[in-house]
Every structure is written in structure tokens, then in C-alpha cells.
Amino acid sequence: MTDLLAKKRDGGALSTEEIDFMVQGYTRGEIPDYQMSAMCMAILLRGMDNRETLDMTMSMMHSGETLDLSPIRGIKADKHSTGGVGDKTSLILCPMVAAAGLKIAKMSGRGLGHTGGTIDKLESFPGFTTAISEESFFRSVNDIGIAIMGQTADLVPADKKIYALRDVTGTVPSIPLIVSSIMSKKLASGADVIVLDVKCGDGAFMKTEEQAETLARGLTRIGRLAGRKCAAVITDMDQPLGYAVGNAVEVKEAIAVLRGEEKGDLLELCLTLGACMMAEAGVVRSVEEARQELLRTVEDGSALGKLAAMVKAQGGDPAAIEDTDLLPQAAVTLEVPAEKRGWVRRIHAERVGLISMHLGGGRATKESAIDLSVGVVLRKKVGDSVEAGESLAVIHASCGEKAREAAQMLLGCYEFSDEPVARPKLIKQIVR
Ligand code: URA
């Protein structure tokens, strides 16, 4: 390891065998944290070429179990988001794509910090569980086209250890380390087609479009080199996605989109990600044809039907899809009036995510319990005009005191302009 450190420090490329020695040795506890920390910093400063990044990804992928999806018939598709605030995309996209004929066999995670997790959101359906056996996971995907399972403990143990180390050594923002971290997990999850939603802006890892594009190209390149179909969409995270930030409130918004009641940016993003999936899968002649097909799944109710079938198959009560009042409801709701008139110039996404966490809707540590009923529902987004006293958002809280605190914090998330403000473009680039 001392030789490898000197080699990377001096800008050399590590061989396939050297990378495997380092990844497996660290995972088994044979290489100490101080040497692996120094290596992460050397990689951050010196980089890795495409071959090294692929080797690192493959070695990490093989550090634990991998999921063999071959018992599932048809083309298996998966989606990954680099993490955002109010990101309920999977709840809409997965049923749409399943209704259009692809197979969704997805592993999802829980939320941590200011970003939410799909599993927590889905647990808003009373009784719903993602702790299902591999056998019932495969059966559901074969029977209804969709299932979402919690991450198994043994998937990519190398990433769990390396990520925890990067988190405390200032080495998270390294493109080859992010690419190998994300792609090792996606490849180990076994899908044939992988679509990545690379977030860019205030609430994301990648603050600029240029950084996001470099990451998107790195991710898709490694996916292709590993023999999978892969595309990425770079999307704006300078404000929360859609209107709701929390758990049950996000499920409610997702249901409204699937019912065809909300037709804004959130639907557009799901159509774009889904169309990329179908085009990469080769089941349509063009991206436009895929969009039309996906739109049809909303209009004819088949996408909503897939969500209901998945909720039922995984022990949840699908009645909450018809009557969203059956989802967890907060004890208190409080409107947040604007202090002056103007146009919304900015909404700090990360801070809105932190408010939801403060209300109890997110985890400060992995062990924290969360309250599924609380959160924030924005009424105004960037580009909207606001009159003094008009509501900016509704706080859903467990008590009046928490609601008032959150309302005060929310006012600090908004910035206004005296002039009209253009609405930002949600979809910045498609990388295929
Ligand atoms: N998400 C991951 O899974 N890994 C990273 O390194 C960064 C974001």
C-alpha cells in the first residue's frame, strides 16, 4: 500500500491488480483507515483515468453480493438520482415505465440528512414493507412488472467503508470516487438499463452544470464499459423538485401527477427519464414515441394501477391511492404568508430539506426515527409573482410550536426580486 500511495501521489496510474488489492484489502480490514484516507486524497488530487475508474468500480462491485436478475423475464431497468430535495421521481417514473412494459426491479435506500429516501416515502402507505425476500421480489416483478426492495446488507460493502471514510476526510467531491461509488452499487443491483438523474445546483453535490456534465459522462461511460445500457439527464436542483418536501406529502404529490392532475416540471422530468430508459432498452423507435407511450400510461390510469398493484403486493393498503386522506396526516398545518410583494428569485433547496428534517421528517443519524406526516408544501416556486400576505408554503407539523419555528425558517429560504424572474429550466442536458 505504501508503494501504491507513492505511485498515485506522483500522478501514476494504478494497475488492475493494485486497485483490487487495495479495495479488497481495505474491505477486509487489512489496510488501515489512515492509508486508505491518504489514497482517497491522492485520487482526489491526481484523478484516475477511465481504465482505473472502471477497475475500481468492478472491484468494489465484487466486494460483496451481487443481485442476479436472470429469473426475471424481460428488460430490467433501474434509475438513480444523485440526491435532491423533494425528489419523488421514482414514485412516478417506476410505475409509468412498468405500465409501458419494462421491468422495474429496484433497490432503494432511506433518507439521510436533508435528502429523502424512496423507502421512507413508500412506508407512508400503511403496512407497506420493502423488507421482502428475493423470491417474492422476483415473483412481483414477473407478475406485475414492478417491485422495490430495501438494500441488502451485503451489497457493495467496499462502498459503505470507503464512503464513510471519504465523508470525514474531505474526499467526497472526487469524480472517479463518486463514479465508482454510484456505479458499483447500480451494477451490483443487476439491471440491463440504467438511467441516472444527475442533479446540479444549490441542493446538489455538483454545484455547476459543467461539473454535473463531467459526472454524467463519467457515470454513463463506466456503465457502457461494464456492458449495460446507460443514459443520464442533468437536472436543476437550485430549488426543490415539485412542491412537496417530506414523506406522505411527497407521496400525495406523486399520486396527483399519476392521476394526471399535475402536469408541470415533475411530470416532464419523469417523461424524459422514462423516455431515455425505453430508448436505451431499444423497445421504441424514438424518444418521442416513448414519451407518447408514457403519457398514455398516465392518461389511461395504467401507471396509477401499477403503483396500486405494487403497494398491495408489498403489504400496503392501496385504498390510500384513491383517498389520500388515509396517508399519515400532520396534527397541525400552518400557511406561511409572504412579508412583501415581488417575484421569487431563489428558494434554497438544501435549507428547505433541513426544515423538513427539523420537523421530524428526515434523519440526523441513520438510527433516528422519522415522522412520515410532516413536511413542507411550497405554493410558490422560482419565477412566480407573490403579493404581500399571500401564502408561500404550508407547513405540516406535529405541534404549533414546531410549525411556527419552521415557518420562520422557511421565510429565510426565499429570495425575491422587484422585477419579473424567468422560470429556470428543469432539464438542462441529456447525455446518451
Ligand atoms: N452518492 C453516492 O452513492 N456516492 C458518492 O460518492 C456520491 C453520491
Side-chain angles (χ1 to χ4, degrees):
M1 192 63 182
T2 318
D3 295 340
L4 305 196
L5 279 165
K7 191 173 185 184
K8 186 46 79 186
R9 177 200 63 205
D10 297 339
L14 303 177
S15 70
T16 307
E17 293 72 26
E18 286 168 339
I19 289 172
D20 202 46
F21 163 83
M22 166 179 94
V23 171
Q24 305 309 332
Y26 182 62
T27 309
R28 287 195 296 262
E30 293 160 11
I31 291 170
D33 283 352
Y34 55 82
Q35 284 188 315
M36 196 62 191
S37 308
M39 180 57 85
C40 288
M41 186 58 83
I43 294 171
L44 181 134
L45 296 171
R46 290 298 200 165
M48 275 182 149
D49 63 26
N50 293 335
R51 197 268 308 147
E52 287 178 286
T53 309
L54 179 63
D55 285 341
M56 178 97 180
T57 308
M58 299 312 275
S59 182
M60 287 172 69
M61 168 186 164
H62 290 298
S63 65
E65 265 177 37
T66 58
L67 202 60
D68 173 11
L69 298 184
S70 58
I72 298 169
R73 296 180 297 275
I75 302 172
K76 281 79 75 177
D78 195 2
K79 165 249 169 190
H80 178 80
S81 154
T82 58
V85 175
D87 190 355
K88 68 282 291 175
T89 315
S90 292
L91 302 177
I92 304 162
L93 170 73
C94 295
M96 272 165 62
V97 172
L102 294 186
K103 294 288 167 63
I104 299 285
K106 189 164 173 48
M107 277 201 182
S108 283
R110 295 190 181 275
L112 186 62
H114 70 278
T115 61
T118 301
I119 293 188
D120 296 325
K121 291 170 199 179
L122 281 168
E123 284 176 353
S124 302
F125 290 104
F128 185 89
T129 179
T130 54
I132 52 175
S133 67
E134 238 174 67
E135 198 190 341
S136 63
F137 179 66
F138 289 159
R139 192 175 339 109
S140 283
V141 184
N142 271 328
D143 291 351
I144 59 175
I146 180 169
I148 296 186
M149 178 161 97
Q151 256 146 28
T152 62
D154 208 34
L155 200 82
V156 196
D159 182 61
K160 292 194 183 78
K161 280 194 82 174
I162 298 173
Y163 195 84
L165 196 62
R166 287 166 57 209
D167 208 23
V168 292
T169 54
T171 52
V172 169
S174 149
I175 298 276
L177 293 179
I178 297 176
V179 168
S180 52
S181 164
I182 293 177
M183 292 311 289
S184 59
K185 289 175 286 194
K186 287 288 113 182
L187 296 176
S189 306
D192 308 305
V193 178
I194 302 165
V195 170
L196 300 139
D197 181 358
V198 177
K199 304 287 185 195
C200 157
D202 171 55
F205 272 118
M206 300 290 127
K207 303 292 173 200
T208 69
E209 189 171 336
E210 205 184 339
Q211 290 171 338
E213 186 182 344
T214 308
L215 178 59
R217 293 199 181 281
L219 293 164
T220 50
R221 187 184 302 118
I222 294 300
R224 275 195 305 275
L225 288 172
R228 312 291 171 94
K229 307 275 188 201
C230 204
V233 181
I234 300 175
T235 65
D236 180 63
M237 207 4 95
D238 264 338
Q239 61 176 339
L241 181 59
Y243 290 90
V245 180
N247 292 288
V249 289
E250 289 195 32
V251 171
K252 220 169 166 173
E253 184 176 7
I255 291 172
V257 173
L258 285 172
R259 278 182 183 160
E261 293 164 3
E262 269 192 37
K263 295 202 158 57
D265 275 0
L266 183 55
L267 174 63
E268 184 56 33
L269 173 58
C270 295
L271 290 173
T272 306
L273 289 166
C276 284
M277 266 185 185
M278 293 178 71
E280 288 295 327
V283 295
V284 282
R285 279 182 299 267
S286 66
V287 169
E288 191 43 43
E289 183 187 326
R291 284 177 65 90
Q292 291 310 320
E293 175 69 12
L294 291 165
L295 209 48
R296 179 195 60 75
T297 70
V298 174
E299 285 162 0
D300 68 10
S302 56
L304 196 64
K306 285 287 173 200
L307 178 65
M310 179 184 76
V311 168
K312 187 157 180 257
Q314 296 189 218
D317 181 4
I321 290 173
E322 289 297 313
D323 178 5
T324 52
D325 287 347
L326 296 173
L327 294 168
Q329 305 282 330
V332 176
T333 56
L334 180 67
E335 300 280 349
V336 186
E339 290 172 318
K340 55 179 187 175
R341 73 179 296 274
W343 281 265
V344 180
R345 188 177 61 186
R346 194 161 175 212
I347 306 171
H348 291 265
E350 189 170 338
R351 285 196 225 159
V352 178
L354 289 170
I355 295 175
S356 172
M357 191 173 114
H358 179 76
L359 286 164
R363 286 186 186 80
T365 70
K366 271 191 194 150
E367 289 72 35
S368 330
I370 59 170
D371 181 345
L372 296 170
S373 70
V374 301
V376 180
V377 180
L378 306 177
R379 292 203 189 277
K380 297 286 180 184
K381 301 264 323 236
V382 173
D384 287 345
S385 66
V386 185
E387 294 300 324
E390 204 182 348
S391 179
L392 292 175
V394 192
I395 306 290
H396 294 242
S398 56
C399 67
E401 192 187 333
K402 285 227 171 208
R404 284 187 294 277
E405 273 170 24
Q408 203 52 43
M409 287 163 78
L410 190 93
L411 289 172
C413 298
Y414 275 81
E415 286 179 22
F416 297 93
S417 161
D418 295 333
E419 309 285 328
V421 174
R423 288 181 207 285
K425 249 173 73 177
L426 177 63
I427 295 162
K428 292 175 176 286
Q429 244 188 83
I430 296 176
V431 177
R432 285 192 60 201

